[in-house]
Amino acid sequence: MAAQAKIPTPPPQKQRRYGMVIDLDRCTGCGACMTACAVENNVPSGPPEADERKGINLMRVFTVRERNSRRTAFIPILCMQCGDRTPCETVCPQQAVEVDPLTGIVEQMPQRCLGCRYCMAACPYQARTFNWWDPAWPAGMETTLNPGVAPRMRGVVEKCDLCHSRLHAAEDRAAAEGRRDLNPGEYVPACVEACPTQAIVFGDLADKASEVSRLAAQPESFRWLERLGTGPKVYYRTRRRWVRDLARQGGAAPNQEVTRG
Amino acid sequence: MNLRSVFSFLAGLAGMLALGWLVFPAVLYERIPQPAQFSHQVHTGEAGMSCSDCHAFRDDGSFAGIPRLETCLPCHTEPAGETPQEKHFIEAFVTPHREVPWLVYSRQPDNVRFSHARHVKVGEMACEDCHGAVGESARLKDFQRNRISGYSRDIWGPRMLRIGWKPGEGMKMSDCEDCHRQRSVVAGCLGCHK
Amino acid sequence: MSATRRDLLLMTAAGAGVGMVFTPVPWKLLDDVSIWTQNWSWLPKHPRGEITITHTVCPLCPAGCGMKVRRVNEAPFAVSSTPGGALCARGFAGHQLPFHQSRLRTALHRGKAAPLAEALEDAAAAVERARRSGAVVAVLDQRPGRMVSVLYRQFLAGFPRAQYVTLPAPEEGTLRAVAELTGRPPRSLGYDFERSRTIFSVGAPLLDHWGAPGRLLRLWGAPERKIRFWHAASGNSRTAALSDRWMAIRPDSEHALVRGLISILIREHGAGAGLALPASLSAFPPEEAAARTGVPLAQIQELARELATARPAVAVGGGDPVAGPLPAATEQALSVLNALLGALGTPGGIVERRPVPQPTLPPGLPAETTLARAPARSIDVLIVDSASSGCAWPLELIQDKLAPDAVTIHLSAFRTAWTAQATWTLPVPAPFEAWEEIPETPGSRLASWSLAKPLFPMPEGAISPEAVLHRFGLPEDQTLDALLQAKAAAIEKAGRGVVRPLAEPDESSPVGEGLWDQLTEGAVWVDDPEPAPRPLRAAIPDLPDLPQVASTAQFPLLATPAGSRGGAGSMPSPPLASKLTRESHLEPAAGEVRVHPRTAESLGLKHRGRAVLATPKGETAVVVRTDPGMADGFVEVAIEGDRGAETLALFPVSRDGAWRWSPAQLRRA
């Protein structure tokens, strides 16, 4: 077609690999990240029956205690944004999970989801939650929902997508200036911004000059359950050896262990 | 097989075709007239305005879509012409200072993210590429609401089977995908969903 | 063979069937139905519209943290901290509070809905009767120091007998004791943490949501931090986890620990030289402190050594948002400890906070009394202000002060345990629905002032506290607006302090004309620091020994209430904050108790099992959580959610207004 000949093909966009480094020695377990996340992503407060198994948490701070001691660490767990052999993506029968080639973000499409929850079983980080109830807000409260995030329906799985609405807003702002690519720091997820001690550093791991790449490469940094080879893009760091050992074994203290779904 | 059987078959066939092509679309879509009338033709022609005079970008790059009443006020606090439509608009909305509850033909569902800024400012697309020749319309057609999905008719487009579809005639996900494929612009699911 | 009618009908149907394939019917229906299944029509729709940003301060508690609010069509949908600020988990969801399920939309008469006009008329009549008969009318204010507090006092000045009663933030417990020791007025002192080297907290949750949460978290999280945090408490709180050293003392042994430290400091480190010290202070045997706290003597000595050498050092007590103040004797001992550490009126210690320039007020306003000090059964008509300190108080504390047949008028935006008991409850605007004034943060060393903007319009059927006072007989020409403007003018006139815009706190400017406009647009006024703190002189008193709460055969355990700021009290928690508490257990969740696994085992209780908690004052059903971080024989009882007040009522209130410990029993349900 003649019309098609005119169609310009823009240059391919810059490949990014968004990731974060969470400094566990700075995490105070205050929960600000969890609330900020829930508010940002239109997570309803749910019925009273929603407990640690059935409640929706895109981000959850776990309390772990060293065995036979009173030492405590707080560990924020969110979607680890696995880059290799992403377990949830490979098991999804519905292609509702996808690793975005542009951003490296593991994306979950609630509208495509059948609710089989294979992905929840496959996720070694328990970073996925199931909508046991339709979202409901008290009368009038819909006016206070984030316009950038669609409410999810009952019967679908959801998880952290690194505050996609914030990425969208940052892209719009950049586009208003005629830019297609983002400058560093233009896009940060809500949890990163909420942390009162700046324990979370967020950025592009593909950019070797970024702070997040520099921190991720340090010997104090590690990833949760690295032996599984899932290639998470969420790094942790701590000077406390027992916390690092825990990451290798991959377990919370027995009384904090949570199974979902 | 006799003639009567053939006629019966053809009657069934013709009946169904009539039903499917004439009655079904009328039943499937609920026609709702717009709360006020508006002529794009008059505004872009005689008044010499462009799309972006009313459908503007905000500073944060978001698209304001249908203008609010305040955009109309500078010219329409008093009737600028003599049409009964304008008279109704001023009496029903301008004087009581009430926002017009326009029905948006191209309203996408909540889970769709569409960045006008990225398409217009970065992708350098024209409004007509997706919206068709809205700017030349003399009057606002009735809004057609799908009784099952609640979507606007314009998402699907005027052609019931979408055969011979042309750009600007619909805004289904497949239409977006086709265009993106032609231009080799990749996006993940959440590039366009939220 | 001729076709039957049946055959013809079949042929017609076959024709229709074939024809259908060539119509849009099946294809369009398939598409529309699948779309319908993906977007159920009953799902709530998010708003669409212009996004604007407003900078203001959080009105939920006296900390008044800066917040950047993103709004769509004027409704707030998300908040974040302003630069350098640190909103707490509740602040991030606070804008949802007006929609809380316990939100009051009508007036209440003894807990039952009543028309506002009627309730207002009856309540006004009761107030008028009190005025004529000379009965005692009192106002209870949880956030003293605001201009509306002045308005309440102006209102009370019109009564022959009146009391202005406050329930100030518990963060100031030690400061109040120090103020008494040094003869300073209440609320005139603050902590100079920024210049401290050792901060020793006795049961004070400094790193939870204490004071302005951002202030201490910033100090704690500073790179190359010089300040060391010591924490002595039985509970395994976040402060315990985050402190450099946590002394897990036995329940109710705070007093013994402080006495032991005083004794060691005098005996071994020559503290208090130059002060006239009663002999009893050094007579307290440190071994007894070790025995009563269950902490090795060497560790107490190590703490004493660090306090004596790593100076400036300061000791902080009280401040727990649900466990309430420490017993008055312990706070007094802490003020003596601070005097021995040389922390009174010195950099890095407890320093004077310059009072905010105030407008000239009419004479004869009633003076402030704290609720604990108000005479028992003395109040005939009590008006309770709606602003919350974010802390929980046992109802008994109030009920003890009420005369028989007293009338209580509660101004509240929510249905709470307090409103259930009140004679009348008048629905006032919820947080974020009216202007709220935030004076200085508890514990701060600098005075400050800001105004929280309304983010929602005031709903129909609500009435402002000011309008209630006018209805109750306050002259109409005395208004809150006039007082606030007068305060702004007084600050302008004094020419003290700087104005920090919330959007860009670094771009502060000295106070000049237009302070009022700057404040209403979104700025904080902060006083200038005094060049050098003035030393505070104190006469060291003899300290009485405090008997420990005794457990009995029937109640073998010791229980303490646990919770966080804003989780209980006269205002509910934002729904999302309670949800996350319930699901993450970062904070005690409603209806739960925490015990050591050994304690649970000895009582035959399991993790997540049901149990009954009993104290001499009653019992309640609870769910058990075991936690190896807890002290053995100790029960931490969550005060959260709807049943929080009911659970807190299980704790007996001592004569000096403390309710920290109770003997308790835990048994299987």
Side-chain angles (χ1 to χ4, degrees), chain C residues 211-228:
Chain C
R215 182 184 180 199
L216 280 154
L217 288 179
R218 237 191 332 273
L219 292 178
W220 176 85
E224 320 275 313
R225 157 160 67 88
K226 295 266 170 20
I227 303 173
R228 275 178 52 86

Side-chain angles (χ1 to χ4, degrees), chain B residues 169-185:
Chain B
E169 277 192 350
M171 299 175 174
K172 278 182 70 67
M173 184 169 120
S174 54
D175 303 335
C176 302
E177 288 175 332
D178 286 347
C179 190
H180 272 245
R181 205 173 300 124
Q182 284 165 15
R183 291 160 200 248
S184 316
V185 179

Side-chain angles (χ1 to χ4, degrees), chain A:
Chain A
M1 277 190 285
Q4 264 185 32
K6 283 197 301 192
I7 291 177
T9 302
Q13 241 184 308
K14 201 172 92 189
Q15 297 267 329
R16 292 150 287 164
R17 279 178 66 237
Y18 286 118
M20 54 171 75
V21 179
I22 304 177
D23 190 339
L24 297 178
D25 296 341
R26 293 175 78 91
C27 177
T28 67
C30 73
C33 52
M34 299 195 320
T35 324
C37 163
V39 170
E40 184 78 30
N41 290 295
N42 292 343
V43 172
S45 59
E49 307 91 273
D51 56 8
E52 57 202 57
R53 293 165 184 228
K54 292 189 168 179
I56 299 216
N57 289 268
L58 308 185
M59 173 166 215
R60 185 184 298 192
V61 180
F62 286 83
T63 310
V64 295
R65 306 228 196 275
E66 191 185 16
R67 223 171 277 269
N68 305 322
S69 113
R70 282 180 166 171
R71 283 193 285 182
T72 304
F74 300 104
I75 303 183
I77 297 284
L78 63 166
C79 172
M80 298 288 151
Q81 313 294 344
C82 301
D84 315 315
R85 288 183 281 160
T86 312
C88 51
E89 187 192 28
T90 48
V91 297
C92 182
Q94 193 62 6
Q95 293 181 320
V97 189
E98 180 191 75
V99 181
D100 188 330
L102 276 179
T103 58
I105 298 174
V106 180
E107 300 175 335
Q108 166 81 17
M109 274 301 302
Q111 279 76 19
R112 266 199 185 174
C113 174
L114 278 178
C116 71
R117 291 182 275 151
Y118 279 8
C119 55
M120 290 175 67
C123 177
Y125 306 104
Q126 302 188 349
R128 297 178 149 264
T129 43
F130 184 69
N131 281 272
W132 287 93
W133 298 276
D134 262 333
W137 283 276
M141 201 168 141
E142 312 86 62
T143 57
T144 67
L145 295 183
N146 183 349
V149 181
R152 281 75 58 189
M153 67 207 308
R154 173 167 42 122
V156 302
V157 173
E158 66 180 87
K159 67 160 198 87
C160 159
D161 55 21
L162 292 182
C163 287
H164 236 90
S165 67
R166 287 175 162 245
L167 176 60
H168 292 159
E171 284 177 344
D172 282 4
R173 276 194 302 272
E177 296 168 14
R179 277 185 293 128
R180 195 166 171 215
D181 291 317
L182 297 179
N183 295 331
E186 275 186 321
Y187 153 53
V188 283
C191 55
V192 180
E193 190 184 79
C195 183
T197 56
Q198 287 89 43
I200 315 178
V201 174
F202 178 81
D204 183 2
L205 288 165
D207 174 8
K208 289 297 160 217
S210 66
E211 173 76 356
V212 70
S213 298
R214 190 183 67 78
L215 289 173
Q218 285 182 355
E220 279 166 359
S221 297
F222 61 93
R223 290 178 289 181
W224 217 251
L225 295 177
E226 217 149 348
R227 65 191 152 88
L228 298 181
T230 51
K233 288 191 277 293
V234 176
Y235 289 75
Y236 293 82
R237 55 191 271 117
T238 175
R239 287 187 299 274
R240 289 173 284 182
R241 186 133 175 231
W242 68 272
V243 181
R244 283 208 291 272
D245 289 345
L246 207 64
R248 212 167 304 129
Q249 297 147 12
N255 70 333
Q256 301 288 340
E257 215 163 80
V258 175
T259 37
R260 279 190 182 142

Side-chain angles (χ1 to χ4, degrees), chain C residues 58-65 142-143 169 211 388-390 438-442 565:
Chain C
C58 174
L60 294 189
C61 84
C65 302
Q142 288 187 68
R143 289 206 205 165
S388 164
S389 66
I438 314 285
E440 60 277 354
T441 310
R565 190 168 202 160

Side-chain angles (χ1 to χ4, degrees), chain C residues 187-206:
Chain C
R187 295 201 313 281
S188 67
L189 301 175
Y191 293 102
D192 188 18
F193 290 134
E194 283 74 7
R195 287 186 279 187
S196 307
R197 264 191 72 199
T198 311
I199 298 174
F200 170 47
S201 70
V202 182
L206 288 187

